[in-house]
Amino acid sequence: MTVTYSSRVASVSNVASFFKLLIRWKGSVIKLVLVDLIIFLVLYFIFNFTYRFGLNPAQKRTFESIASYCNQNTGRIPVAFILGFYVVLVIQRWLQVLRTLPWPNRMSFFTTTLVHGDDEMGRLMRRTIQRYLTLSTVLLTRDTCPPVRKRFPTLQHVVDAGLMTDNEMHVYENIPAPQAKYWVPLVWSTALVTRARKEGRIKDDISAQTMIVEIDKYRGYLMALFNYDWIPIPLIYTQVTTLSVYTYFLACLMGAQFLDVETPQNWIDMKVPIFTVMQFVFYVGWLKVAECMLNPLGEDDDDFEINYIIDCGFESSMLAVELHGTLPEMDKDVYWEKVEFDLPYTAAAEKFKVEPHLGSAIDLVVSPKVSEFLQDGSCSSIPDEEASPSTIRRRHPSKMQRIFSNRSRHMRPRRQLSRTTSSNSQTSGQSNVHDRPLEPQSLKQEDSQNQHRFPKHSTVLHIGEDDPSNQRDPYSHRLDSMISHISDVSGRSADQDFTHTVLEAVIEESNEMEKQSDPRCGSGEVGLTNMERGMPKEESENLREKHEDQSAEELSIRTEHTDLDPSIQKDITPGAPSVENEEKMALLTGRDEAEDSATSANMPPASQSENDETDPNETTSLLK
């Protein structure tokens, strides 16, 4: 007996339609709480009249004390908290029961499609399979739904209704099962599917399996419906909710009374507790809603129409199997020669016609200045203020970012940076491979030892305190911070290979930033420094040649005390980028380390005081 009012609220523009819902009687809140509200008001006025006309002054003081106590402590009852959770739980259960209602329509489509045969036996099989599904629903709801029980009080009523034959009732009653036997007709339907497969009315095993699986799903719906009837919400939860609501309003019978005491002048003696009545309607109505939805298979106004579900399912499924093989004659539709399909609208429905949705970004226009593809390794020359706000600008990750993000993939053997050798080194045949990691805390001690290994006249750049060039390079600070960060994160010192990788990346990034000082990298000026941009072309070329000569001198300084293989030495191009000579310089590293080891063996060990007085700037310069 579901109360349907969807047509009344089809549009919120008509405010009167919502107010008309308040005066409906069937399924309304007034119908649910009317009896309880009348009882509450009768008791309230009994207490009120007794207080006003039946008590002496001393008794009134006692009544006022009790009323004041009740008024102060009604807030201790968590009515809204308990009732809110209870109603939410009941509504969730109600929706789950609604989703498990069995409908045989889906199975009827499989039956009329997969069970072939236009003869009487084929038609009988299709109709019997669908009738068994409806019969199982009736047998279950007779035991769980009072309206269905009243409709079919005995099995003979089911036989008289045409859902069961006398022979089937006799077989059903003789099955020795103490439990519910609503699933027996489903077993009969699966046996019919197997028989139809053997007789060839079902063409293949996949079709037979599809029908059996669908019958099993139908059985699952019936089983879930049976379980909801068997196991309700725990009784203690329902008792606590009901007691909290009615105890609260029992306290309101005394606490909501208007007392004859000294009150402010603007106080009004209301004979009828209007707000208490509204509170009663809301809370008790909320509780009544939960009570009605607790068992949706009952007889309340908003319970499910199980009898209608049985009738509708049976009629539609039987009609579907009767349409087996029925197909109207095919003909060309009115859009046969058309490409665009525009279904007509009436004048009343024209205002509901909408344009097709093509995407929310379809109207976004990108400026032509930023709509060109960028070449690999280049960046846009358009200033940021001229670019469109919607343009997403991304830059390729630098080498430093790739190293730190993919460290696990870079932990392979790498070549070590070659160290500058002393001009008076005396070793040539010994080799010493530095296997220990380059730890930050050992940099100071190592630099102190390098003072003994490399005299002042060596090719190592020794910067004194009074040297004006004794300034920390910003990349030195970045190097120290990166090595410290690696040690802190990993809980140990960074390994030697990864440290040298960081050093190489710092040097390479420093060279790239010197060549590309302008962040926008204007076209035609890539690689020019700020000094070269303001020079004429001839002066700029001279300056570049000077830089190349300096690079050649630095390379010659690094290799002047190293015995090179002639085949290797002739291939090293002075002034060329370090990337081109990377593999060739790697061959020099082993020889340099051997000379360093021999020099270290001939020098006396450094004292602790000398280590403490070592300038950190010298260590950074040495690493750089």
Side-chain angles (χ1 to χ4, degrees):
M1 294 176 287
T2 304
V3 180
T4 303
Y5 57 92
S6 301
S7 60
R8 301 293 183 90
V9 294
S11 177
V12 297
S13 59
N14 189 4
V15 183
S17 61
F18 285 89
F19 285 101
K20 290 179 181 179
L21 296 177
L22 299 178
I23 62 177
R24 296 189 61 174
W25 176 253
K26 185 178 181 180
S28 63
V29 64
I30 301 299
K31 180 181 179 180
L32 293 176
V33 304
L34 182 60
V35 177
D36 299 283
L37 180 60
I38 291 175
I39 296 175
F40 176 78
L41 290 177
V42 169
L43 294 177
Y44 177 85
F45 285 112
I46 289 176
F47 282 102
N48 187 273
F49 290 154
T50 302
Y51 168 72
R52 294 177 183 272
F53 307 107
L55 300 179
N56 54 37
Q59 294 173 342
K60 284 186 177 183
R61 302 290 82 81
T62 304
F63 185 92
E64 292 171 358
S65 300
I66 298 175
S68 178
Y69 177 79
C70 293
N71 186 34
Q72 294 176 0
N73 292 275
T74 51
R76 296 178 178 271
I77 303 176
V79 182
F81 179 78
I82 298 176
L83 192 57
F85 276 98
Y86 182 72
V87 172
V88 169
L89 180 61
V90 171
I91 291 177
Q92 291 177 354
R93 178 186 174 86
W94 184 84
L95 292 175
Q96 292 172 355
V97 175
L98 177 62
R99 296 188 184 100
T100 58
L101 292 178
W103 289 88
N105 304 74
R106 178 182 171 91
M107 182 60 192
S108 64
F109 297 149
F110 291 104
T111 303
T112 189
T113 304
L114 301 179
V115 181
H116 301 277
D118 297 332
D119 57 343
E120 184 178 357
M121 181 57 65
R123 180 188 177 192
L124 180 61
M125 282 187 174
R126 290 189 293 269
R127 292 176 63 91
T128 304
I129 290 174
Q130 293 303 129
R131 181 172 60 85
Y132 282 160
L133 264 65
T134 304
L135 176 60
S136 62
T137 304
V138 172
L139 294 177
L140 173 67
T141 53
R142 282 183 66 251
D143 301 333
T144 58
C145 182
V148 179
R149 188 72 178 188
K150 293 179 180 180
R151 183 181 180 181
F152 305 104
T154 62
L155 287 179
Q156 187 61 40
H157 288 80
V158 179
V159 174
D160 296 340
L163 296 176
M164 179 183 285
T165 63
D166 293 333
N167 183 32
E168 292 170 350
M169 182 183 67
H170 179 72
V171 174
Y172 181 81
E173 290 178 344
N174 291 333
I175 295 176
Q179 293 83 13
K181 299 182 291 183
Y182 63 89
W183 44 267
V184 173
L186 298 179
V187 177
W188 295 343
S189 62
T190 56
L192 283 177
V193 172
T194 305
R195 178 181 175 182
R197 176 68 185 98
K198 291 180 179 180
E199 295 179 359
R201 299 183 182 277
I202 299 178
K203 299 301 181 182
D204 48 54
D205 294 337
I206 297 178
S207 300
Q209 181 184 7
T210 302
M211 296 187 64
I212 293 176
V213 169
E214 189 62 29
I215 294 174
D216 182 68
K217 289 182 179 179
Y218 195 86
R219 182 209 59 81
Y221 290 143
L222 295 178
M223 187 65 187
L225 200 63
F226 181 80
N227 290 337
Y228 282 121
D229 178 76
W230 175 32
I231 305 176
I233 294 177
L235 178 62
I236 186 174
Y237 202 175
T238 304
Q239 290 177 343
V240 168
T241 305
T242 305
L243 287 175
S244 64
V245 173
Y246 286 106
T247 303
Y248 178 83
F249 286 104
L250 284 176
C252 288
L253 290 176
M254 294 290 292
Q257 295 288 341
F258 290 89
L259 305 177
D260 185 14
V261 296
E262 296 182 359
T263 56
Q265 297 180 356
N266 57 356
W267 181 79
I268 301 176
D269 186 7
M270 299 292 295
K271 302 300 186 292
V272 179
I274 298 177
F275 288 96
T276 304
V277 172
M278 295 175 61
Q279 194 176 25
F280 184 89
V281 172
F282 297 153
Y283 280 164
V284 177
W286 205 1
L287 178 63
K288 293 296 181 179
V289 168
E291 292 176 354
C292 291
M293 300 178 69
L294 190 60
N295 183 16
L297 305 181
E299 301 179 1
D300 295 324
D301 291 342
D302 284 305
D303 288 339
F304 299 150
E305 297 285 355
I306 303 299
N307 284 318
Y308 170 76
I309 293 175
I310 294 174
D311 296 340
C312 181
F314 180 70
E315 293 175 3
S316 60
S317 61
M318 297 299 285
L319 181 60
V321 297
E322 282 299 310
L323 295 177
H324 172 75
T326 304
L327 182 65
E329 183 180 356
M330 293 185 296
D331 195 4
K332 295 181 180 180
D333 56 79
V334 296
Y335 303 99
W336 184 263
E337 300 295 340
K338 297 181 180 180
V339 179
E340 298 181 358
F341 307 97
D342 190 7
L343 297 176
Y345 281 79
T346 61
E350 186 178 4
K351 62 180 180 179
F352 301 110
K353 184 178 181 180
V354 296
E355 296 296 331
H357 179 70
L358 302 179
S360 59
I362 193 66
D363 297 329
L364 181 63
V365 179
V366 181
S367 175
K369 297 182 180 180
V370 293
S371 60
E372 297 180 358
F373 288 108
L374 301 178
Q375 300 297 330
D376 296 339
S378 63
C379 55
S380 175
S381 60
I382 304 299
D384 294 341
E385 58 272 8
E386 296 182 8
S388 173
S390 62
T391 304
I392 301 176
R393 303 185 62 190
R394 296 184 178 92
R395 67 181 183 89
H396 296 286
S398 62
K399 187 174 181 180
M400 293 297 299
Q401 294 175 343
R402 293 196 300 269
I403 290 173
F404 280 100
S405 61
N406 303 320
R407 181 183 177 186
S408 60
R409 283 180 282 182
H410 286 79
M411 297 303 295
R412 60 179 184 271
R414 298 290 301 256
R415 67 181 182 84
Q416 299 178 355
L417 289 179
S418 59
R419 298 184 178 180
T420 309
T421 57
S422 175
S423 60
N424 60 348
S425 59
Q426 301 176 0
T427 61
S428 60
Q430 297 180 357
S431 176
N432 183 18
V433 180
H434 300 273
D435 295 331
R436 61 181 181 85
L438 188 59
E439 300 180 356
Q441 58 269 22
S442 63
L443 291 177
K444 186 174 181 180
Q445 182 178 358
E446 181 180 352
D447 187 66
S448 176
Q449 297 176 0
N450 290 335
Q451 291 181 1
H452 297 278
R453 295 168 56 187
F454 305 113
K456 293 295 185 67
H457 60 277
S458 65
T459 57
V460 176
L461 298 179
H462 183 84
I463 303 176
E465 297 181 358
D466 55 346
D467 195 338
S469 63
N470 187 13
Q471 298 179 359
R472 290 295 297 268
D473 189 3
Y475 286 95
S476 301
H477 295 282
R478 294 182 58 183
L479 173 62
D480 296 341
S481 61
M482 282 187 291
I483 296 177
S484 301
H485 174 72
I486 296 168
S487 302
D488 296 339
V489 171
S490 60
R492 55 184 178 83
S493 300
D495 56 90
Q496 187 174 3
D497 291 338
F498 182 65
T499 305
H500 286 297
T501 304
V502 174
L503 294 175
E504 293 177 15
V506 171
I507 296 173
E508 183 176 346
E509 188 174 353
S510 175
N511 296 333
E512 292 177 358
M513 292 187 63
E514 290 178 358
K515 294 180 181 180
Q516 299 177 359
S517 57
D518 189 2
R520 290 188 293 269
C521 299
S523 60
E525 297 181 353
V526 178
L528 298 180
T529 60
N530 293 332
M531 183 181 298
E532 294 175 355
R533 296 178 190 278
M535 291 183 178
K537 183 176 181 180
E538 297 179 357
E539 297 182 4
S540 177
E541 293 178 354
N542 296 334
L543 185 59
R544 284 178 176 274
E545 294 178 356
K546 183 179 179 180
H547 289 169
E548 293 177 358
D549 296 339
Q550 292 179 355
S551 300
E553 292 177 1
E554 292 177 0
L555 182 60
S556 62
I557 291 174
R558 294 184 60 185
T559 59
E560 64 177 310
H561 295 287
T562 306
D563 296 334
L564 298 180
D565 192 312
S567 60
I568 301 176
Q569 189 172 9
K570 67 180 182 179
D571 293 335
I572 298 178
T573 304
S578 58
V579 178
E580 299 178 1
N581 298 325
E582 181 178 359
E583 299 297 335
K584 300 170 184 178
M585 293 303 300
L587 300 175
L588 308 179
T589 306
R591 192 179 298 275
D592 293 342
E593 292 176 350
E595 295 176 358
D596 294 347
S597 176
T599 305
S600 177
N602 296 331
M603 296 303 296
S607 60
Q608 184 67 23
S609 61
E610 292 176 351
N611 294 338
D612 298 337
E613 296 176 358
T614 303
D615 189 0
N617 295 333
E618 298 179 1
T619 304
T620 306
S621 301
L622 176 62
L623 292 176
K624 187 172 180 181

